[in-house]
Amino acid sequence: MQQRRINIAIAGLGFGAEFIPIYQQHPGANLVAICQRTRSRLDEIGDAFNIQKRYVDYDEMLQDPEIDAVHINTPIPDHGAQSIKALKAGKHVACTVPMATTVEECEEIVRLCKETGLTYMMMETVVYSREFLFMKELYDKGELGKVQFLKASHQQDMDGWPGYWPGLPPMYYATHCVGPVLGLLRSEAEYVSCFGSGTIREDMHGFYGSPYAVETTQIKLRNSDLSAHVYRSLFDVARQYRESFEVYGSLKSVEWPLIEGKPLVVHTAKKPEPEIPEEVECPDFAKLLPEEIRRFTTKGVYDADEHQHLSFAQGGGHGGSHPHLVHAFVKALQEGSSPYPNAVQSANITCVGILAHESAKQGGKIIELPAFTLA
């Protein structure tokens, strides 16, 4: 029996526009509406992709009975409130990272999902990137052996970004490095300890009361002998854009390239020392997707370079993750299954960052993850 198509609405058409053609060509989805506060941008995108339903008011869009699910791509401070509104309106939710900016918002989203049975998925790109999928495949096949340690980073120069970005504490937006260290083994964080390092320019201290140039966090994995190390910087650190993930196993270890576009490095145990490391070109994992959307692992919305979103100009298009995210969300809704990461998992990933910054302010104090973030 053919499954019913899921009717999707997208809110936010900056990064959100990247997902329009993927939903339009996914065999299990209909992209039925878009929402954008700026009418000119709304009409530009609506005309380009032939979308008839256009909303400048998010609350009005949520009243549309045709919409099954909302994919939120709005500014970070709006994620929590807009996800809560959508769930209260009876809509399934996919939301770009992070889930929310407070522990309380995360808890409310988890509560609503349990109360309503609706699905929530945080659209974390790194756990669907080709590099992560390559490491996950090695892990699932047992080729890594016993995993001994996990490490990840997210470094980016955010100078000149407007709105809420100046002075943002690094760990407030940490899902790109927390997600993979928890996602590989489908683990949960039990507690965190974080230190701030260095100092950003004084004129940015007042926005959030945070002086730190870098925040480094140690994560203790629940019901495990493992810990993970993540670090994050946003301002006044000389570094090319890098979202990285590294896994160290007893048989093999895999390290993300230091420079964008270079090969992964796979280390294999018990070889002669010069032969232990090997550069490996990461395969694309489009094979995991419906044929109709496979091309989107390497292409954005626009083929012309001058129109590419920053995720392609700075960071290689999130490792081909966009169609994988769409497919995971649509498939979960069609099957009534739980996507990764679901509401509880998303809350655990997001609260690691929020609580890590609190730990840094208290000199590295150990802070436990709240019970609602644990399965």
Side-chain angles (χ1 to χ4, degrees):
M1 185 176 72
Q2 189 172 11
Q3 293 175 308
R4 183 180 77 83
R5 286 174 173 255
I6 307 299
N7 291 338
I8 305 286
I10 290 182
L13 300 179
F15 177 47
E18 287 293 319
F19 293 91
I20 291 174
I22 305 174
Y23 280 115
Q24 286 181 325
Q25 295 182 43
H26 192 288
N30 294 316
L31 196 285
V32 298
I34 51 176
C35 181
Q36 169 74 28
R37 285 176 293 189
T38 306
R39 170 59 71 174
S40 58
R41 175 66 174 167
L42 180 68
D43 288 337
E44 176 191 352
I45 295 295
D47 291 346
F49 293 101
N50 194 28
I51 301 164
Q52 302 308 309
K53 285 194 175 185
R54 307 173 189 182
Y55 292 94
V56 292
D57 187 289
Y58 180 76
D59 294 338
E60 181 184 352
M61 183 185 72
L62 293 180
Q63 302 310 309
D64 187 334
E66 186 184 12
I67 295 169
D68 299 314
V70 178
H71 184 168
I72 297 168
N73 296 278
T74 55
I76 286 173
D78 298 332
H79 292 177
Q82 289 182 337
S83 294
I84 289 166
K85 281 184 175 182
L87 291 166
K88 287 182 175 178
K91 312 299 184 188
H92 303 286
V93 174
C95 185
T96 191
V97 298
M99 183 183 208
T101 56
T102 68
V103 172
E104 291 75 19
E105 286 176 327
C106 292
E107 185 172 17
E108 178 66 0
I109 292 168
V110 170
R111 185 190 71 79
L112 285 167
C113 287
K114 289 181 177 178
E115 182 181 283
T116 64
L118 292 165
T119 295
Y120 174 95
M121 177 182 172
M122 184 173 71
M123 303 296 260
E124 172 47 59
T125 55
V126 177
V127 298
Y128 288 93
S129 68
R130 60 181 65 88
E131 294 88 353
F132 179 86
L133 294 174
F134 174 74
M135 297 186 211
K136 186 79 168 68
E137 185 175 71
L138 291 180
Y139 171 71
D140 290 343
K141 289 180 176 179
E143 292 185 29
L144 298 177
K146 183 186 183 309
V147 173
Q148 304 286 24
F149 182 61
L150 302 150
K151 185 176 80 168
S153 72
H154 180 190
Q155 294 184 271
Q156 186 173 3
D157 183 357
M158 304 300 288
D159 260 338
W161 284 53
Y164 54 86
W165 287 105
L168 189 78
M171 290 304 296
Y172 266 21
Y173 175 31
T175 66
H176 290 329
C177 50
V178 178
V181 301
L182 297 180
L184 186 76
L185 281 65
R186 297 299 192 254
S187 305
E188 297 171 320
E190 181 179 356
Y191 56 82
V192 298
S193 173
C194 177
F195 290 94
S197 181
T199 308
I200 58 175
R201 301 187 301 278
E202 194 168 340
D203 63 301
M204 289 194 289
H205 293 191
F207 292 103
Y208 296 91
S210 175
Y212 309 125
V214 181
E215 287 183 321
T216 66
T217 302
Q218 202 74 13
I219 303 169
K220 177 64 176 67
L221 273 59
R222 185 177 177 223
N223 299 326
S224 171
D225 61 355
L226 290 173
S227 69
H229 179 72
V230 299
Y231 57 101
R232 181 85 170 89
S233 64
L234 290 161
F235 301 99
D236 295 345
V237 176
R239 184 68 175 85
Q240 181 190 36
Y241 184 105
R242 187 185 191 224
E243 296 171 10
S244 78
F245 173 53
E246 299 174 7
V247 56
Y248 296 88
S250 59
L251 300 180
K252 285 185 179 179
S253 300
V254 188
E255 295 176 336
W256 202 281
L258 285 170
I259 300 172
E260 182 68 39
K262 298 293 184 180
L264 292 168
V265 178
V266 177
H267 298 262
T268 303
K270 309 308 179 187
K271 285 187 170 184
E273 193 69 22
E275 298 175 20
I276 289 174
E278 177 188 3
E279 290 189 333
V280 175
E281 291 291 343
C282 188
D284 190 53
F285 282 81
K287 64 184 180 182
L288 302 178
L289 298 167
E291 189 172 353
E292 295 91 335
I293 62 169
R294 288 177 183 173
R295 75 180 188 90
F296 293 110
T297 60
T298 55
K299 294 287 186 182
V301 171
Y302 307 106
D303 290 333
D305 289 341
E306 63 268 23
H307 293 301
Q308 290 291 8
H309 185 267
L310 185 63
S311 61
F312 281 81
Q314 203 189 40
H318 290 141
S321 61
H322 301 167
H324 290 284
L325 289 164
V326 167
H327 184 55
F329 184 55
V330 172
K331 184 180 178 186
L333 296 185
Q334 285 192 312
E335 296 178 350
S337 57
S338 179
Y340 186 81
N342 62 26
V344 173
Q345 293 159 336
S346 300
N348 190 258
I349 293 168
T350 300
C351 287
V352 163
I354 297 171
L355 296 176
H357 179 62
E358 292 303 310
S359 170
K361 291 194 295 184
Q362 299 179 61
K365 177 184 176 182
I366 290 176
I367 299 181
E368 294 187 356
L369 273 291
F372 75 87
T373 73
L374 307 175

